[in-house]
Amino acid sequence: RKEVEQDPGPFNVPEGATVAFNCTYSNSASQSFFWYRQDCRKEPKLLMSVYSSGNEDGRFTAQLNRASQYISLLIRDSKLSDSATYLCVVNRDDKIIFGKGTRLHILP
Amino acid sequence: SQTIHQWPATLVQPVGSPLSLECTVEGTSNPNLYWYRQAAGRGLQLLFYSVGIGQISSEVPQNLSASRPQDRQFILSSKKLLLSDSGFYLCAWAGQINEKLFFGSGTQLSVL
């Protein structure tokens, strides 16, 4: 079983819709969690950290469920510029493990 | 503020040639440093990480090696490139264990 798993998509979503991604991790010792965004042929960029209490940044909401070992990302009122690959990231000790990403296409 | 520099941006090398990719971080001390590779259409694969000068951990057996000769310098090398070494190579740093990761702009390596 992979340490971090994501649905690869693609998710094709009309502009203005709400979309949600999930990510599961296998190691219960994982300590911190993040969502990154990667545009084609570019480096990944931090979107937001994920906290146990859940956190929100504008149209983006992240949740962590330690008991079930999954992380979620919700995007509301999606924009064309949200089209990208979203990477789930899990930290354990000195290791930072990336999921393979979920591709999102926002359709006009 | 902290910045990370990675070069070159693109590189085309023949099979069997050597490789040296360099990454430097500015504005921070004793960062954790990482090398990742991303093959076309694939996820990020952790190659090496370093928590200090001369300390290198390798994640996968391969044709590559890494070195950290200075606190804020991380070098990825190969003596003889293989076709399978082609990919997008990313250097990254984090301030402490479990902190967020910041990436360089990447090197697109094509081995022909």
Side-chain angles (χ1 to χ4, degrees):
Chain A
R1 183 184 173 187
K2 294 189 176 73
E3 188 154 358
V4 179
E5 295 203 66
Q6 296 182 249
D7 181 342
F11 285 45
N12 297 308
V13 174
E15 191 176 7
T18 296
V19 60
F21 308 135
N22 279 340
C23 165
T24 59
Y25 60 96
S26 61
N27 194 318
S28 59
S30 300
Q31 294 149 311
S32 56
F33 309 88
F34 305 92
W35 283 103
Y36 279 72
R37 170 199 168 120
Q38 186 176 25
D39 294 293
C40 189
R41 298 182 184 276
K42 298 287 187 182
E43 73 274 22
K45 293 186 176 177
L46 179 68
L47 182 64
M48 60 196 303
S49 304
V50 187
Y51 303 117
S52 297
S53 55
N55 50 299
E56 188 174 308
D57 182 2
R59 298 181 293 108
F60 299 84
T61 301
Q63 296 275 356
L64 167 64
N65 186 317
R66 285 191 183 271
S68 301
Q69 295 182 199
Y70 77 83
I71 308 148
S72 64
L73 177 68
L74 182 78
I75 306 175
R76 290 181 299 277
D77 187 24
S78 54
K79 312 292 185 190
L80 294 175
S81 57
D82 293 333
S83 296
T85 297
Y86 289 83
L87 305 171
C88 170
V89 180
V90 172
N91 284 16
R92 176 174 56 81
D93 301 322
D94 292 325
K95 295 186 181 181
I96 302 177
I97 309 298
F98 282 74
K100 291 192 174 183
T102 298
R103 285 185 295 141
L104 174 64
H105 298 309
I106 303 300
L107 307 173
Chain B
S1 64
Q2 300 90 358
T3 56
I4 179 169
H5 303 280
Q6 185 183 343
W7 66 93
T10 59
L11 192 58
V12 180
Q13 293 284 101
V15 168
S17 64
L19 173 74
S20 180
L21 301 180
E22 189 164 343
C23 172
T24 58
V25 180
E26 295 177 359
T28 187
S29 296
N30 197 31
N32 288 348
L33 296 172
Y34 303 81
W35 278 111
Y36 286 86
R37 176 172 59 201
Q38 189 173 36
R42 306 288 291 277
L44 282 157
Q45 180 186 31
L46 178 61
L47 301 175
F48 301 96
Y49 68 96
S50 171
V51 299
I53 295 174
Q55 300 178 61
I56 308 293
S57 297
S58 174
E59 284 300 296
V60 293
Q62 58 202 317
N63 185 40
L64 302 168
S65 62
S67 61
R68 185 169 176 174
Q70 299 179 46
D71 181 44
R72 289 170 288 176
Q73 184 185 29
F74 205 22
I75 298 172
L76 183 69
S77 303
S78 174
K79 292 182 179 177
K80 287 186 178 182
L81 283 168
L82 306 172
L83 288 174
S84 58
D85 291 325
S86 294
F88 190 44
Y89 287 82
L90 289 154
C91 179
W93 75 274
Q96 294 178 17
I97 294 173
N98 296 323
E99 278 200 4
K100 57 202 76 168
L101 204 59
F102 297 96
F103 284 89
S105 54
T107 297
Q108 185 64 54
L109 172 66
S110 298
V111 182
L112 306 177

